[in-house]
């Protein structure tokens, strides 16, 4: 992963101070400096817990002691909404990391998610009935970001910190059963391991890799179909041919509908399965009328096409 970079390139490591990201930061410094890379360690203070600013300062000190070339800490304001506090914190964190990436001109941003995180993500997606995209788990890499620890267990990162003499931070939220992910980590996965035998987490992570191959193939076909089915309405919006959409396999058609809705201004993170299913029903004439989508977008059928327009919002 680092070997494909050029000497002098910058690598940004996101570090919360937990065992996973702390071990990642130490490994990146060790391997990156041998390749002549500049390593920047960054921590994001979400301000969700008392003493979070002090913890951020502690992480910065740990990163400096590890040997990173530069440290950065940023405090963000997490504004919740329909997505919930976890998702809002994640969105704020990625927004800040992207700003830091641009500021440091980093060629790569490393995230410390492990195989255990991947297994938890797959189980949560399965329980929520979220479909193939969720079962595919977290991507190993996207844009300028990479997750090099997806084949490494959480226990491995704890051991690495012990060997290096690093004292990781124990996030209180990781013991709060109010979070579904914590319940999966503390109760569901151990129960599965106890009753089905060891290796459940590894099997779930392997499933994510296999499903992702299928998901990416379908996404590529959907991009091609979307380019073929859409046409400009003469303004900034687009429309889809209903007749051709009906003849398109459902797995691809629903992806085309999502692409069209997002392109029309619908909020991607709030565009759920139920919305896409409604769009498909509208296109196939299973229902009539209009559909309101998150982001103030209205979908409707007109003259053999599925069209989108901005929804008027009262002042």
């Amino acid at each position: 992963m680092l070997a494909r970079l050029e000497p002098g390139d910058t690598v940004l490591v996101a570090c919360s101070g937990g065992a996973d990201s702390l071990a990642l930061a130490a490994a990146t410094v060790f391997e990156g400096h041998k390749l002549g890379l500049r390593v920047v360690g960054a921590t994001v203070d979400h301000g969700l817990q008392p003493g979070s600013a002090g913890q951020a300062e502690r992480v910065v000190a740990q990163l400096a002691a590890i040997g990173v070339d530069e440290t950065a800490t940023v405090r963000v304001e997490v504004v919740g909404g329909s997505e919930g506090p976890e998702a809002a914190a994640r969105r704020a964190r990625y927004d800040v990391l992207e700003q830091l990436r641009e500021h440091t001109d980093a060629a790569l941003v490393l995230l410390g998610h492990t195989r255990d995180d991947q297994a938890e993500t797959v189980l949560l997606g399965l329980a929520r009935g979220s479909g193939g995209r969720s079962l595919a788990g977290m991507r190993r890499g996207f844009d300028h970001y990479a997750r090099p620890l997806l084949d490494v267990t959480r226990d491995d990162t704890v051991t690495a910190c012990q060997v290096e003499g690093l004292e990781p931070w124990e996030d209180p939220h990781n013991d709060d059963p109010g979070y579904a992910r914590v319940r999966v980590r503390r109760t569901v996965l151990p129960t599965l391991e106890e009753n089905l035998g060891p290796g459940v987490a590894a099997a779930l992570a392997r499933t994510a890799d296999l499903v992702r191959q299928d998901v990416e193939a379908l996404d590529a076909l959907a991009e091609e179909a979307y380019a073929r089915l859409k046409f400009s309405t003469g303004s900034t919006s687009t429309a889809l041919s209903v007749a051709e959409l009906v003849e398109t396999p459902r797995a691809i058609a629903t992806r085309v509908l999502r692409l069209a809705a997002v392109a029309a201004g619908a909020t991607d993170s709030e565009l759920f399965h139920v919305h896409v299913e409604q769009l498909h029903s509208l296109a196939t004439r299973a229902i009539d009328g209009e559909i309101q989508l998150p982001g103030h977008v209205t979908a409707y059928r007109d003259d053999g096409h599925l069209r989108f327009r901005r929804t008027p919002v009262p002042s």
Side-chain angles (χ1 to χ4, degrees):
M1 186 173 295
L2 298 180
R4 71 171 185 262
L5 302 181
E6 297 292 331
D9 281 349
T10 296
V11 179
L12 178 67
V13 184
C15 184
S16 67
D20 303 340
S21 58
L22 206 55
L24 175 62
T28 304
V29 168
F30 181 76
E31 297 294 338
H33 283 176
K34 289 192 296 184
L35 297 171
L37 302 177
R38 175 171 170 264
V39 181
V40 176
T43 186
V44 179
D45 174 14
H46 299 90
L48 297 176
Q49 301 170 3
S52 62
Q55 169 56 23
E57 292 177 3
R58 178 173 179 266
V59 175
V60 166
Q62 287 179 305
L63 290 170
I66 288 171
V68 300
D69 299 291
E70 183 180 342
T71 61
T73 179
V74 181
R75 185 181 177 95
V76 297
E77 180 180 358
V78 178
V79 180
S82 60
E83 58 186 352
E86 282 185 284
R90 186 184 308 113
R91 176 167 49 79
R93 183 165 60 251
Y94 278 104
D95 286 346
V96 146
L97 287 176
E98 183 59 21
Q99 293 173 22
L100 286 173
R101 185 194 68 78
E102 293 179 354
H103 177 71
T104 60
D105 193 26
L108 188 65
V109 181
L110 300 183
L111 308 172
H113 299 109
T114 65
R115 190 174 72 186
D116 299 85
D117 295 313
Q118 185 74 300
E120 293 160 10
T121 300
V122 173
L123 267 183
L124 286 168
L126 184 63
R128 292 166 179 162
S130 302
R133 191 179 304 279
S134 184
L135 294 183
M138 296 177 286
R139 292 171 288 178
R140 290 179 178 271
F142 60 98
D143 299 330
H144 294 87
Y145 295 78
R147 297 184 172 99
L149 301 185
L150 284 185
D151 293 318
V152 176
T153 69
R154 187 172 293 122
D155 286 344
D156 289 336
T157 66
V158 171
T159 300
C161 287
Q162 292 172 342
V163 170
E164 294 297 322
L166 302 173
E167 185 179 347
W169 175 56
E170 296 291 341
D171 186 348
H173 284 172
N174 289 338
D175 290 316
D176 185 351
Y179 294 98
R181 183 175 289 274
V182 173
R183 297 195 297 274
V184 167
R185 179 177 305 167
R186 301 298 186 191
T187 304
V188 178
L189 267 173
T191 300
L192 289 175
E193 295 272 356
E194 179 182 350
N195 289 277
L196 300 180
V200 171
L204 288 169
R206 184 167 62 251
T207 296
D209 282 336
L210 294 173
V211 173
R212 178 157 297 283
Q213 295 175 28
D214 297 341
V215 168
E216 291 177 348
L218 288 170
D219 286 346
L221 291 173
E223 292 278 1
E224 295 175 2
Y226 177 55
R228 185 177 70 254
L229 297 179
K230 72 175 181 178
F231 75 96
S232 173
T233 61
S235 62
T236 57
S237 62
T238 60
L240 298 173
S241 169
V242 168
E244 292 184 71
L245 194 62
V246 169
E247 297 300 319
T248 302
R250 188 185 184 94
I252 297 175
T254 52
R255 284 170 164 78
V256 169
L257 289 166
R258 168 177 278 279
L259 288 170
V262 171
T267 306
D268 192 6
S269 62
E270 299 178 12
L271 191 64
F272 301 135
H273 174 73
V274 62
H275 299 121
V276 178
E277 286 298 307
Q278 288 177 332
L279 288 173
H280 192 267
S281 295
L282 183 63
T284 57
R285 297 183 179 276
I287 61 174
D288 292 312
E290 298 179 346
I291 296 174
Q292 301 303 317
L293 301 174
H296 307 299
V297 173
T298 299
Y300 63 101
R301 196 177 57 241
D302 177 61
D303 192 27
H305 293 88
L306 188 70
R307 302 176 184 270
F308 300 86
R309 64 168 178 263
R310 301 298 300 178
T311 305
V313 180
S315 58

